[in-house]
């Protein structure tokens, strides 16, 4: 039984196959419209979400399947004290595949230990968010055409930004990747990313505080929101939330072909005036999220039925 | 150096990082085992400057002393029989430990649900373990050891 808890749960070959399938779906979505009739996706969202939950639901519907689930912990038996392990045991008998988002880190992993259907981690606290990573990778592949020889800047909340942690892990597997980590002192990347991912593979990276000084060298700029929900202290959030605001003045320092990615939702960190810049691809990125999630559902259901796509 | 009698039969846990003896005492549950225990804190050491030592007179049955490596990977365990050291060993760091270390990340699923506190060894040199759920690190000799 295959589960996707971290983006590195797929080998590079499997990831290539997944992204190739997603690109084929982009070309001819109709071909896949009846791929999984009568299959059910359970979306267990203990934490609110817009894009991830809706794109997963859209993906399953696009494949001809159906959906069930809940959209907050309050709307499930978690509010009565039911454990993740018990919930997933029950859901396993209702659905064919499930996606789980939980505010606590490691909850999807716990679910995978007790599940008899494939589990997709749809985001766990500040830890991992593999389907967003696959979305980010599909965006880069489709619009940049390569994963190697890239200088990628991550800007904003690098401490709690799970999409950042996951994407660094995924991109680190490619050749000649450099990272520029732009954040205030309090929101620097966690030490485990450096110790487990960057240092052992000798991946060049630098940690800086200035977006203006870093932006000219970047091929991709991955902006992130400072997430209010990750702070225990609101004062810290208010002090840090507007540290970085990308605007047209700063964009004038960037390369002509630099891409701006953002997992969304955006608050103030990208000025609305930047949206018209052709380098701003974050809305297209959200659209790619549906296609890559369709490919992922196909991969997992295919494997559990003994019909692997790869 | 302070001397506390010679053991006839038992074990001496030596080279414990200063402040770590009580944690190991707690983990081994020595309070509830019928053995004589001497804890020497802050002893002078040529190798470490200062160290803690635990001397246990008696037998510890059924305890995997290698687990102590997860608590303090620099300790030495001397096995004493008839007043002589018959074996000296440095515990190997186990690849996985369950319910020995406690994850201190308030955002980890272990903080709200009853699941085993499982850790994986990720850095043998530095003795760093990481929670299998959230990847939070726990170095040897954590600040608190809770019997789980």
């Amino acid at each position: 039984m295959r589960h996707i808890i971290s983006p590195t749960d797929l080998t590079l070959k499997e990831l290539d196959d997944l992204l190739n399938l997603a690109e084929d779906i982009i070309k001819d979505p109709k071909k896949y419209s009846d791929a999984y009739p009568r299959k059910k996706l359970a979306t267990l969202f203990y934490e609110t979400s817009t894009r991830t939950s809706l794109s997963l639901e859209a993906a399953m519907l696009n494949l001809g399947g159906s959906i069930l689930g809940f959209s907050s912990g309050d709307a499930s038996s978690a509010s009565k004290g039911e454990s993740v392990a018990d919930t997933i045991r029950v859901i396993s008998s209702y659905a064919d595949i499930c996606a789980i988002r939980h505010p606590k880190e490691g909850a999807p992993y716990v679910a995978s230990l007790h599940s008899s259907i494939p589990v997709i981690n749809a985001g766990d606290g500040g830890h991992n968010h593999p389907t967003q990573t696959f979305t980010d990778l599909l965006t880069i592949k489709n619009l940049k055409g390569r994963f190697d020889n890239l200088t990628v800047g991550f800007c904003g909340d690098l401490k709690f930004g799970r999409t950042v942690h996951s994407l660094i892990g995924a991109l680190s597997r490619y050749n000649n990747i450099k990272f520029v980590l732009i954040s205030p002192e309090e929101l620097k990347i966690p030490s485990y990313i450096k110790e487990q991912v960057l240092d052992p593979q000798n991946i060049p990276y630098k940690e800086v505080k200035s977006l203006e000084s870093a932006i000219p060298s970047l091929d991709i700029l991955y902006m992130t929101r400072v997430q209010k929900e990750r702070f225990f202290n609101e004062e810290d959030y208010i002090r840090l939330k507007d540290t970085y605001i990308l605007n047209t003045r700063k964009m004038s320092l960037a390369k002509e072909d630099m891409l701006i990615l953002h997992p969304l939702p955006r608050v103030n960190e990208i000025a609305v005036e930047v949206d018209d810049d052709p380098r701003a691809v974050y809305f297209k990125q959200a659209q790619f999220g549906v296609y890559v999630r369709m490919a992922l559902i196909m991969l997992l259901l295919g494997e559990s039925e003994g019909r692997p796509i790869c | 150096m302070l001397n506390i009698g010679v053991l006839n039969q038992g074990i001496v846990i030596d080279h414990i990082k200063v402040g770590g003896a009580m944690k190991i005492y707690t983990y081994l549950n020595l309070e509830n085992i019928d053995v004589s225990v001497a804890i020497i804190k802050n002893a002078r050491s040529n190798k470490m400057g200062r160290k803690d030592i635990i001397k246990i007179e008696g037998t510890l049955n059924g305890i995997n002393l290698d687990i102590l490596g997860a608590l303090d990977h620099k300790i030495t365990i001397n096995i004493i029989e008839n007043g002589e050291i018959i074996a000296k060993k440095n515990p190997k760091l186990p690849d996985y430990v369950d319910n020995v270390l406690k994850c201190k990340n308030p955002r980890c699923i272990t903080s709200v649900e009853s699941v085993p506190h499982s850790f994986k060894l990720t850095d043998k040199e530095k003795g760093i373990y990481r929670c299998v759920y959230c990847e939070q690190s726990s170095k040897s000799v954590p600040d608190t050891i809770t019997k789980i």
Side-chain angles (χ1 to χ4, degrees), chain B residues 86-110:
Chain B
I86 59 149
K88 204 181 239 298
K89 63 179 196 171
N90 298 100
K92 273 194 317 188
L93 291 175
D95 290 335
Y96 286 91
V97 287
D98 278 342
N99 295 334
V100 174
L101 306 172
K102 187 174 192 298
C103 185
K104 289 189 279 182
N105 176 6
R107 295 176 184 82
C108 179
I109 187 69
T110 55

Short mmCIF file of all heavy atoms in Angstrom, two decimals, chain B residues 86-110:
data_model
loop_
_atom_site.label_atom_id
_atom_site.label_comp_id
_atom_site.label_asym_id
_atom_site.label_seq_id
_atom_site.Cartn_x
_atom_site.Cartn_y
_atom_site.Cartn_z
N ILE B 86 34.77 -6.76 34.39
CA ILE B 86 34.89 -7.87 33.43
C ILE B 86 34.50 -7.44 32.01
O ILE B 86 34.80 -8.12 31.05
CB ILE B 86 34.04 -9.09 33.84
CG1 ILE B 86 32.56 -8.70 33.96
CG2 ILE B 86 34.55 -9.73 35.12
CD1 ILE B 86 31.64 -9.84 33.63
N ALA B 87 33.83 -6.34 31.91
CA ALA B 87 33.48 -5.84 30.56
C ALA B 87 33.28 -4.33 30.64
O ALA B 87 32.82 -3.80 31.64
CB ALA B 87 32.22 -6.51 30.05
N LYS B 88 33.69 -3.68 29.57
CA LYS B 88 33.56 -2.22 29.49
C LYS B 88 32.92 -1.95 28.14
O LYS B 88 33.41 -2.45 27.13
CB LYS B 88 34.99 -1.66 29.49
CG LYS B 88 35.14 -0.23 29.97
CD LYS B 88 36.61 0.14 29.88
CE LYS B 88 37.26 0.57 31.16
NZ LYS B 88 36.78 1.70 31.84
N LYS B 89 31.85 -1.28 28.12
CA LYS B 89 31.29 -1.04 26.79
C LYS B 89 30.68 0.36 26.66
O LYS B 89 30.24 0.95 27.64
CB LYS B 89 30.27 -2.10 26.42
CG LYS B 89 29.05 -2.19 27.28
CD LYS B 89 28.18 -3.31 26.70
CE LYS B 89 26.77 -3.25 27.22
NZ LYS B 89 25.88 -4.16 26.54
N ASN B 90 30.76 0.82 25.42
CA ASN B 90 30.10 2.07 25.08
C ASN B 90 28.83 1.68 24.35
O ASN B 90 28.90 0.97 23.34
CB ASN B 90 30.98 2.92 24.17
CG ASN B 90 32.28 3.28 24.86
OD1 ASN B 90 33.30 2.66 24.61
ND2 ASN B 90 32.23 4.24 25.74
N PRO B 91 27.70 2.09 24.87
CA PRO B 91 26.47 1.65 24.22
C PRO B 91 26.40 2.12 22.78
O PRO B 91 26.79 3.24 22.47
CB PRO B 91 25.36 2.27 25.06
CG PRO B 91 26.01 3.35 25.84
CD PRO B 91 27.45 3.01 25.98
N LYS B 92 25.94 1.24 21.92
CA LYS B 92 25.72 1.63 20.52
C LYS B 92 24.48 2.49 20.46
O LYS B 92 23.54 2.27 21.23
CB LYS B 92 25.48 0.38 19.66
CG LYS B 92 26.72 -0.26 19.14
CD LYS B 92 26.40 -1.25 18.04
CE LYS B 92 25.20 -2.12 18.36
NZ LYS B 92 24.93 -3.21 17.47
N LEU B 93 24.47 3.42 19.54
CA LEU B 93 23.25 4.22 19.39
C LEU B 93 22.24 3.39 18.62
O LEU B 93 22.48 3.03 17.47
CB LEU B 93 23.53 5.51 18.63
CG LEU B 93 24.38 6.54 19.36
CD1 LEU B 93 24.69 7.71 18.45
CD2 LEU B 93 23.68 7.04 20.60
N PRO B 94 21.11 3.06 19.22
CA PRO B 94 20.10 2.30 18.47
C PRO B 94 19.56 3.13 17.30
O PRO B 94 19.45 4.35 17.42
CB PRO B 94 18.99 2.04 19.49
CG PRO B 94 19.46 2.58 20.79
CD PRO B 94 20.67 3.41 20.57
N ASP B 95 19.24 2.46 16.20
CA ASP B 95 18.71 3.21 15.04
C ASP B 95 17.35 3.82 15.34
O ASP B 95 17.03 4.90 14.86
CB ASP B 95 18.60 2.29 13.82
CG ASP B 95 19.97 1.91 13.29
OD1 ASP B 95 20.92 2.68 13.54
OD2 ASP B 95 20.10 0.85 12.67
N TYR B 96 16.54 3.10 16.09
CA TYR B 96 15.21 3.61 16.47
C TYR B 96 15.04 3.44 17.98
O TYR B 96 15.53 2.45 18.54
CB TYR B 96 14.10 2.83 15.78
CG TYR B 96 13.95 3.14 14.32
CD1 TYR B 96 14.65 2.42 13.36
CD2 TYR B 96 13.12 4.18 13.89
CE1 TYR B 96 14.53 2.72 12.00
CE2 TYR B 96 12.99 4.47 12.54
CZ TYR B 96 13.70 3.74 11.61
OH TYR B 96 13.57 4.04 10.28
N VAL B 97 14.38 4.38 18.61
CA VAL B 97 13.99 4.19 20.02
C VAL B 97 12.51 4.57 20.17
O VAL B 97 12.05 5.55 19.58
CB VAL B 97 14.85 5.01 21.00
CG1 VAL B 97 16.23 4.44 21.14
CG2 VAL B 97 14.91 6.48 20.62
N ASP B 98 11.82 3.76 20.93
CA ASP B 98 10.40 4.03 21.19
C ASP B 98 10.23 4.34 22.67
O ASP B 98 10.71 3.60 23.53
CB ASP B 98 9.54 2.80 20.85
CG ASP B 98 9.24 2.73 19.36
OD1 ASP B 98 9.39 3.75 18.68
OD2 ASP B 98 8.87 1.64 18.89
N ASN B 99 9.55 5.44 22.95
CA ASN B 99 9.20 5.81 24.32
C ASN B 99 10.39 5.94 25.24
O ASN B 99 10.33 5.58 26.42
CB ASN B 99 8.19 4.81 24.90
CG ASN B 99 6.88 4.88 24.14
OD1 ASN B 99 6.54 5.91 23.56
ND2 ASN B 99 6.14 3.79 24.12
N VAL B 100 11.49 6.42 24.69
CA VAL B 100 12.66 6.75 25.51
C VAL B 100 12.82 8.26 25.54
O VAL B 100 12.98 8.87 26.59
CB VAL B 100 13.94 6.09 24.92
CG1 VAL B 100 15.18 6.54 25.67
CG2 VAL B 100 13.81 4.58 24.97
N LEU B 101 12.76 8.87 24.36
CA LEU B 101 12.82 10.32 24.25
C LEU B 101 11.41 10.84 24.06
O LEU B 101 10.54 10.13 23.56
CB LEU B 101 13.69 10.72 23.05
CG LEU B 101 15.10 10.13 23.03
CD1 LEU B 101 15.79 10.44 21.71
CD2 LEU B 101 15.93 10.67 24.19
N LYS B 102 11.21 12.09 24.44
CA LYS B 102 9.86 12.67 24.31
C LYS B 102 9.95 13.86 23.36
O LYS B 102 10.83 14.71 23.51
CB LYS B 102 9.37 13.13 25.68
CG LYS B 102 7.92 13.58 25.70
CD LYS B 102 7.52 13.87 27.14
CE LYS B 102 6.02 14.04 27.29
NZ LYS B 102 5.44 15.13 26.57
N CYS B 103 9.06 13.89 22.36
CA CYS B 103 9.08 15.00 21.42
C CYS B 103 8.58 16.26 22.12
O CYS B 103 7.54 16.25 22.76
CB CYS B 103 8.20 14.69 20.20
SG CYS B 103 8.33 15.99 18.96
N LYS B 104 9.36 17.33 21.96
CA LYS B 104 8.99 18.57 22.66
C LYS B 104 8.36 19.60 21.73
O LYS B 104 8.14 20.73 22.12
CB LYS B 104 10.25 19.16 23.31
CG LYS B 104 10.71 18.33 24.50
CD LYS B 104 11.79 19.00 25.28
CE LYS B 104 13.13 18.78 24.62
NZ LYS B 104 14.24 19.38 25.37
N ASN B 105 8.08 19.18 20.48
CA ASN B 105 7.46 20.11 19.54
C ASN B 105 5.96 20.22 19.85
O ASN B 105 5.22 19.23 19.70
CB ASN B 105 7.68 19.58 18.11
CG ASN B 105 7.00 20.42 17.06
OD1 ASN B 105 6.44 21.47 17.36
ND2 ASN B 105 7.03 19.94 15.83
N PRO B 106 5.49 21.40 20.26
CA PRO B 106 4.07 21.51 20.60
C PRO B 106 3.15 21.32 19.40
O PRO B 106 1.95 21.13 19.56
CB PRO B 106 3.95 22.94 21.16
CG PRO B 106 5.10 23.68 20.59
CD PRO B 106 6.20 22.67 20.40
N ARG B 107 3.72 21.37 18.19
CA ARG B 107 2.90 21.19 16.98
C ARG B 107 2.88 19.73 16.51
O ARG B 107 2.29 19.43 15.49
CB ARG B 107 3.44 22.08 15.85
CG ARG B 107 3.32 23.55 16.14
CD ARG B 107 3.93 24.41 15.06
NE ARG B 107 3.86 25.80 15.44
CZ ARG B 107 4.71 26.41 16.25
NH1 ARG B 107 5.75 25.75 16.72
NH2 ARG B 107 4.56 27.67 16.57
N CYS B 108 3.57 18.86 17.25
CA CYS B 108 3.65 17.45 16.83
C CYS B 108 2.39 16.70 17.25
O CYS B 108 1.81 16.97 18.30
CB CYS B 108 4.88 16.80 17.45
SG CYS B 108 5.07 15.05 17.01
N ILE B 109 2.00 15.74 16.46
CA ILE B 109 0.81 14.93 16.76
C ILE B 109 0.95 14.23 18.11
O ILE B 109 -0.04 13.99 18.81
CB ILE B 109 0.53 13.90 15.62
CG1 ILE B 109 -0.79 13.16 15.81
CG2 ILE B 109 1.67 12.92 15.45
CD1 ILE B 109 -2.02 13.99 15.65
N THR B 110 2.20 13.95 18.53
CA THR B 110 2.40 13.29 19.83
C THR B 110 1.97 14.18 21.00
O THR B 110 1.79 13.69 22.10
CB THR B 110 3.89 12.91 20.03
OG1 THR B 110 4.68 14.09 19.86
CG2 THR B 110 4.35 11.86 19.06
#
